Amino acid sequence: MIKAGIIGSTGYAGQELVRILVGHRETQIKWFGSRSYIDKKYSEVYRNMFQIIENNCLDDNMEELAKQVDVIFTATPQGLCSSLVSEEILSKVKVIDLSADYRIKDVKIYEEWYKLKHQSPQFIGEAVYGLCEINRNDIKNARLVANPGCYPTCSTLSIYPLIKEGLIDLNSIIIDAKSGTSGAGRGAKIDNLYCEVNENIKAYGVTVHRHTPEIEEQLSYAANKEIKINFTPHLVPMNRGILITAYASLSKDVSYEQMKAVYDKYYQNEKFVRVLDKDICPETKWVEGSNYVDVNFKIDPRTNRVIMMGAMDNLVKGAAGQAVQNMNLMFGLKESMGLDLVPMFP
Amino acid sequence: MIKAGIIGSTGYAGQELVRILVGHRETQIKWFGSRSYIDKKYSEVYRNMFQIIENNCLDDNMEELAKQVDVIFTATPQGLCSSLVSEEILSKVKVIDLSADYRIKDVKIYEEWYKLKHQSPQFIGEAVYGLCEINRNDIKNARLVANPGCYPTCSTLSIYPLIKEGLIDLNSIIIDAKSGTSGAGRGAKIDNLYCEVNENIKAYGVTVHRHTPEIEEQLSYAANKEIKINFTPHLVPMNRGILITAYASLSKDVSYEQMKAVYDKYYQNEKFVRVLDKDICPETKWVEGSNYVDVNFKIDPRTNRVIMMGAMDNLVKGAAGQAVQNMNLMFGLKESMGLDLVPMFP
Amino acid sequence: MIKAGIIGSTGYAGQELVRILVGHRETQIKWFGSRSYIDKKYSEVYRNMFQIIENNCLDDNMEELAKQVDVIFTATPQGLCSSLVSEEILSKVKVIDLSADYRIKDVKIYEEWYKLKHQSPQFIGEAVYGLCEINRNDIKNARLVANPGCYPTCSTLSIYPLIKEGLIDLNSIIIDAKSGTSGAGRGAKIDNLYCEVNENIKAYGVTVHRHTPEIEEQLSYAANKEIKINFTPHLVPMNRGILITAYASLSKDVSYEQMKAVYDKYYQNEKFVRVLDKDICPETKWVEGSNYVDVNFKIDPRTNRVIMMGAMDNLVKGAAGQAVQNMNLMFGLKESMGLDLVPMFP
Amino acid sequence: MIKAGIIGSTGYAGQELVRILVGHRETQIKWFGSRSYIDKKYSEVYRNMFQIIENNCLDDNMEELAKQVDVIFTATPQGLCSSLVSEEILSKVKVIDLSADYRIKDVKIYEEWYKLKHQSPQFIGEAVYGLCEINRNDIKNARLVANPGCYPTCSTLSIYPLIKEGLIDLNSIIIDAKSGTSGAGRGAKIDNLYCEVNENIKAYGVTVHRHTPEIEEQLSYAANKEIKINFTPHLVPMNRGILITAYASLSKDVSYEQMKAVYDKYYQNEKFVRVLDKDICPETKWVEGSNYVDVNFKIDPRTNRVIMMGAMDNLVKGAAGQAVQNMNLMFGLKESMGLDLVPMFP
């Protein structure tokens, strides 16, 4: 039985991690960290957990935690995990960081986009980017996993095969992304009030969203060449779900069947990536509550472009589910353990 | 391994049954009945099931089904199950009917409220009303279970202890209910279009809703006396969830603690009924996707009334989850098997 | 041209007042008060007003305001208006208070339910309760109008005729109310975040909501006898709209036609109260954005009760629209001026 | 007083036209056409109109209508208007067609994308494309106006200035559009049920949506050169609103100020196009219920692209509001008459 601790367990991603781990038969949560709610019953913060979780919230003491558990999840604001991690901690416990602190290899890019000084750059090299479908083997041996961002997970998985196989013009990639509101977190802000979000859609962070360099880095690895993209996220009046619609020019003539074969090559053995049937567009509702990413594409011969689409639950495959998938890999468990979540519809 | 067949598997309740049974380790679905989609892949009707269910939809042939499976679930319009069931079928297979056909013992009341002639009144007496928390023992031995309606489940469980203990005036009960839109089914009607339901709330079926006599019958058993109530359902712009707010005059002086003790007496050992802490009002979101009913109450000394509240997922405890709970009881399995569903939030 | 000032113009009700007054041809807004946004452009706080309102927000200086305008609207938290009003101010300017400060005639009841010490009880007697359909003549001559609460407006208008005509048992009144989220205001609270409200319904303030004594007082005037009620509000995932469902026992035998005639007696000449056709239940969407209250009723012979229903836009007839209706009466304008707002659907 | 007739008055766009014309002081609706609801009271089809519209629905008899009214609006499925219009009718009455029948000048393109044979191609040449901000003068003298599609209105106005001024690469234009559900009409389809749309987002009509050639044609006029674009619409869980996010490569070096000056050049005197302040992204909620289009842009020096954004109410500026704007121009009225609709928030 794996003993797990969660730092930041009362954010939406932290709570989703709790939901998933409660159903994971080889894991027990030992530590519900939450600076904001120390000593409060967890089930008073999230009443869906009434009679399910009896624990109180605890402080974010990573050193103490490292003595008590086998794995620490940090579902915290940027900068916190990197300020707490040390060689001593990593020697005792595995760390899965759901923040962005170790996702970007070039510390200058991190500091520029996040407007933060990185507190432990010495661990960036070691940290493995936890996109399981791509870095599976490295994750198995990692001490420190950087759990990918929600938009980067959905974007990278939707585009990756076409870059790997050289089918698209690397200078032409545009990602138009749409996210449910849980992605904005549980902070009390006017912008996220029901009345402000409901019956509304808007773009935000245009040209400056911090997931941009993360996506660019991952796509660049696939291309073996530096890639710059446009990435525009939008806030959608729904709780969960990310949809990305990506555009690129074709670099060679390719039929539907050939492109489908490319996607299948990468994903036919992947449980959590579903390549949909021809002409079926992904919908976020079809993956809600599950760890699936649904992807598909459409070629437009009129403009010689391909439209790539991906749908995902931002809190599951985009955060907590992928974190558990990483944990499973790191501890030699079946990769899908605890993640046999059937999408909930409607 | 129990072999299960579902007649009406492509309605919302039928599909929820599929979702739950996919995660039930002692059951296998052998028959996905759907008159509307015969020969169509189930996962083309509900694309959340892509790569999870490979079966095609089949006709509603109950005789053939009875040969192939151990239990038949009927999630069909009123009148269908009662027109198909026969002694021969019941001798071969257990039947859990999610429609109203066998819920009401007095066939005249059924026919009056449902405007239908009952096709097999000979089985009404035998059928067990499948409200597990109340009829657990009878369910265990039943061949035919009438799975309770969504509103009656939530209403009965919220009010039952106070009637049993004689705390409320039986002539004073008023139930004001609120339901998500999945309760209206998947039929293509203008009234249920997104634009008609969104940003809107209304009462419907005022004084004539067909769950009224079902609730009255169950409450009357508790009281050992005939009860008439007012029941007013409302349509709420959300997918899932039922909230009931019930009012009754107190028939004796009773403190919060005494009334809490009454609720605890009936529910402290019930996994799926959660009596909330003092002053906490049930919310549908806290039970979404799960088999829980959250109940609570508030005494108003100014008017000498009690306000009873209950929240539930109409598709789970109000339909498919309770059906599985019944199946577990009928087959001697652990009552909660396959129902360890943690509510999804947000 | 009436010069108007608004104190609290950046709350949802204040902004709705701006929206309505912009379309009122005899009024000009001279002062956009907002403690939180002093010196900020109003259209940066509410960007729907871009290029419509060029003014900056100003402080809540009622004395200065009294010199510059003809009417002051206070759309502020409880206690503020009563702390600012003085004889000198009332001698110069008419005041329409959208808070609760002057709604309740018995200052002890106000202080008990609102947990506040009233700062100017000397004006309570003079203040007119601004429910235009009932107090029209008094409003015309008032210096100080207490604009009714949203729930009390909808509740009182729905029940009033049956009490006036002695058709219902005064001890039996129960009001189950449902409100959109704008009623909770624009404060940054976790409870009102999109993800907390969406896909959720709950009761709140059960037995203790502060609109209870206000409704009781108004119904008591109609009955000429003290009335106590149960009032239970619910939060519904929509921006605007209030629906009330009220229950009472009939005190005499009455037919549909007789009861309809009673409603018509009171409302057939009222532009803003629409008594719907038989069996049509009010829906909040049908009045959205307008000053209408749609009411109807249903008699239940089984239980000898009547179910009364009312739907209204909480920000219009429940706040800003009624305030303008009051202003029109106070200044001798056509009562509906600026309020010919056709409900927006869908 | 202009007498107006509406064919297709019971669709969402038709009803919005009714809402707007009720508030238009120089127009009177004489004919509420609706094939589906002949002889039914209009206010029974749209109950928001109770006590506002007393008329019954009538058949779609354009010849009879032409005798009785000054202007006919056709808010009907594609192909209907073009099958009814004749020289005789156009000699008697002005026609504003909200369908696509006369929007596209090349009848072959129309027939290819709409899969319909055009019934009156002889009028295509005469018809004026009713995008008021661009074709104002031609509209004034038109007998037959093709009211633009919702997506084309928002897309064209957002991109037009940059094409006119030669700032963007004409081969690089990609439009990612998001629409509320009223755009899908009031037909009873499973896909548009509340439970299917709510908590969901998806692309549809990818590469084949019929507004594509309409947008291309308008942009081509601006460029004086044939343009091909990618256009991808998405269905968003909200009633109203269109947001477009458009991408193009810059064809020359240009600063924010220079580009802002270009937008201002075209729109500073346009009441209904609001160029927002720097870094403010358009939101659909800010224009809801109004005839405004809010536009803005952001230059990305990293990729040398510009992101253009536009938000609009699809039923107002995207349909009924623009139709009234066209009517005003055609009849020599003030262009904004009846359109002083302040956006409703929240």
Side-chain angles (χ1 to χ4, degrees), chain D residues 22 42 51 80 92 96 122 155 162 173 192 197 225 230 243 250 267 309 313-314 318 328 330 341:
Chain D
V22 164
Y42 190 80
Q51 295 182 359
L80 185 72
K92 291 185 193 157
I96 300 173
Q122 69 273 25
S155 300
L162 301 193
I173 301 170
N192 296 334
V197 172
K225 207 185 131 185
N230 271 103
L243 183 74
L250 294 169
Y267 297 137
M309 293 166 278
D313 187 320
N314 58 308
N328 288 339
M330 294 163 89
L341 307 158

Side-chain angles (χ1 to χ4, degrees), chain B residues 283-344:
Chain B
E283 307 191 14
T284 58
K285 191 70 189 157
W286 295 339
V287 294
E288 190 174 344
S290 83
N291 202 48
Y292 292 108
V293 185
D294 281 1
V295 300
N296 212 347
F297 65 91
K298 183 88 188 246
I299 295 169
D300 188 0
R302 296 172 67 255
T303 59
N304 197 40
R305 290 200 189 95
V306 60
I307 296 98
M308 298 153 278
M309 293 165 279
M312 184 189 80
D313 187 320
N314 59 308
L315 293 179
V316 188
K317 183 62 177 173
Q322 185 146 264
V324 171
Q325 196 179 352
N326 277 310
M327 181 192 78
N328 288 339
L329 287 171
M330 294 163 90
F331 286 85
L333 301 174
K334 190 179 171 198
E335 187 173 333
S336 64
M337 186 177 284
L339 295 170
D340 292 315
L341 306 158
V342 181
M344 197 168 87

Side-chain angles (χ1 to χ4, degrees), chain B residues 24-63:
Chain B
H24 190 287
R25 66 174 193 271
E26 294 289 341
T27 312
Q28 205 171 3
I29 309 174
K30 289 291 186 186
W31 189 288
F32 293 80
S34 173
R35 278 195 185 168
S36 315
Y37 295 106
I38 296 172
D39 291 340
K40 187 158 185 173
K41 283 195 74 170
Y42 190 80
S43 64
E44 289 179 9
V45 183
Y46 284 102
R47 291 188 185 277
N48 53 325
M49 297 298 179
F50 186 63
Q51 296 182 359
I52 298 172
I53 305 291
E54 298 298 338
N55 305 56
N56 282 8
C57 295
L58 299 172
D59 199 358
D60 293 341
N61 187 333
M62 204 186 254
E63 290 186 22

Side-chain angles (χ1 to χ4, degrees), chain D residues 46-63:
Chain D
Y46 283 101
R47 292 189 185 276
N48 53 324
M49 296 299 178
F50 186 63
Q51 295 182 359
I52 298 172
I53 304 290
E54 297 298 337
N55 305 56
N56 282 8
C57 295
L58 299 172
D59 198 359
D60 294 340
N61 186 333
M62 205 186 255
E63 291 185 22

